[in-house]
Amino acid sequence: MAQTMASMTGLSQGVRLPGPAGRRASRLTVKASAEAETAGRRAVLGLMATAVAGGAFAQAVHAGTVAAIKVGPPPPPSGGLPGTDNSDEARDFDLPLKNRFYLQPLPAAEAAARAKESAQDILKLKPLIDRKQWPYVMNDLRLRASYLRYDLKTVIASKATKEEKKSLKDLTGKLFDTLDGLDHAAKIKSPSEAERYFGETKTVLGDVLAKLG
């Protein structure tokens, strides 16, 4: 017991023990020091390799990204590209509000075709009305009605005689009265009012489509 305590005391104080015990302790200390030094060198080399590889990869990615970006000149002002004939009107505060519109003007025949599409889209609102999905009814109705109003004005202006213009204009006014009623019914969430005005809208839309041919 005394010998064991002496050995522990000697190791803790850094005293080399005589005999086989001392040699074993010395070998263990040298081996541990060598392993620690080797592990330290490996860690430093690993960090250096990671840093070099990361830098090279970042440079390659940056070079590829920069090479892939092609910045051209700014687009020309309104009317310089197809489909942008009046794209700046909505931001032109010098124009009257009624002229600051976002739809592209079309020839009379194409406007009539788009008006027919808008009319069919309005008729497709019936399932939304039946399910009482009022926000969707209002949003879709207002969008389609804006196209329809714009295109019907184009068609009316293209009519040859005053009688044709007046007839279609009166029908258009009646149509938008029923559309306003349908929009209000959706706003107040009234199924009965919505059914009523949808039926009237469907009838007047049929008369308008007959005039468009």
Side-chain angles (χ1 to χ4, degrees):
M1 183 68 180
Q3 185 179 1
T4 302
M5 292 296 296
S7 299
M8 293 177 63
T9 304
L11 288 174
S12 63
Q13 294 178 355
V15 179
R16 183 174 178 179
L17 299 176
R23 288 194 294 272
R24 284 197 300 272
S26 177
R27 286 196 297 269
L28 290 174
T29 303
V30 172
K31 184 177 181 180
S33 300
E35 289 178 352
E37 185 178 354
T38 303
R41 284 199 297 267
R42 288 177 180 174
V44 172
L45 291 175
L47 289 174
M48 293 177 62
T50 301
V52 172
F57 179 74
Q59 290 180 356
V61 171
H62 180 68
T65 304
V66 173
I69 297 176
K70 295 181 180 179
V71 180
S78 177
L81 295 174
T84 62
D85 294 336
N86 63 348
S87 60
D88 288 341
E89 288 183 0
R91 298 183 295 275
D92 190 349
F93 295 105
D94 293 332
L95 292 176
L97 183 61
K98 65 179 181 180
N99 293 334
R100 289 164 51 196
F101 212 65
Y102 60 91
L103 294 179
Q104 301 298 321
L106 295 175
E110 296 181 19
R114 187 165 66 180
K116 292 177 182 179
E117 293 177 1
S118 299
Q120 294 300 324
D121 289 335
I122 290 174
L123 295 177
K124 292 177 182 177
L125 294 176
K126 187 62 166 63
L128 297 178
I129 295 173
D130 293 339
R131 293 195 293 267
K132 302 178 182 179
Q133 296 178 335
W134 306 120
Y136 296 102
V137 173
M138 287 190 293
N139 291 339
D140 288 355
L141 179 63
R142 292 173 184 179
L143 176 63
R144 304 308 170 188
S146 63
Y147 277 87
L148 187 59
R149 186 190 301 272
Y150 189 73
D151 290 330
L152 286 177
K153 285 183 178 181
T154 302
V155 174
I156 291 171
S158 70
K159 293 299 181 181
T161 64
K162 291 183 179 180
E163 290 76 13
E164 289 178 321
K165 289 182 179 181
K166 185 177 184 305
S167 175
L168 185 54
K169 187 174 182 180
D170 291 343
L171 270 177
T172 300
K174 185 178 179 180
L175 171 63
F176 280 94
D177 286 342
T178 62
L179 289 175
D180 288 341
L182 180 56
D183 180 75
H184 181 70
K187 184 178 181 180
I188 64 175
K189 302 178 181 179
S190 172
S192 59
E193 291 290 307
E195 288 288 343
R196 171 194 165 193
Y197 281 107
F198 181 81
E200 294 180 6
T201 298
K202 185 176 181 180
T203 300
V204 182
L205 268 177
D207 296 336
V208 172
L209 291 177
K211 287 286 186 181
L212 294 179

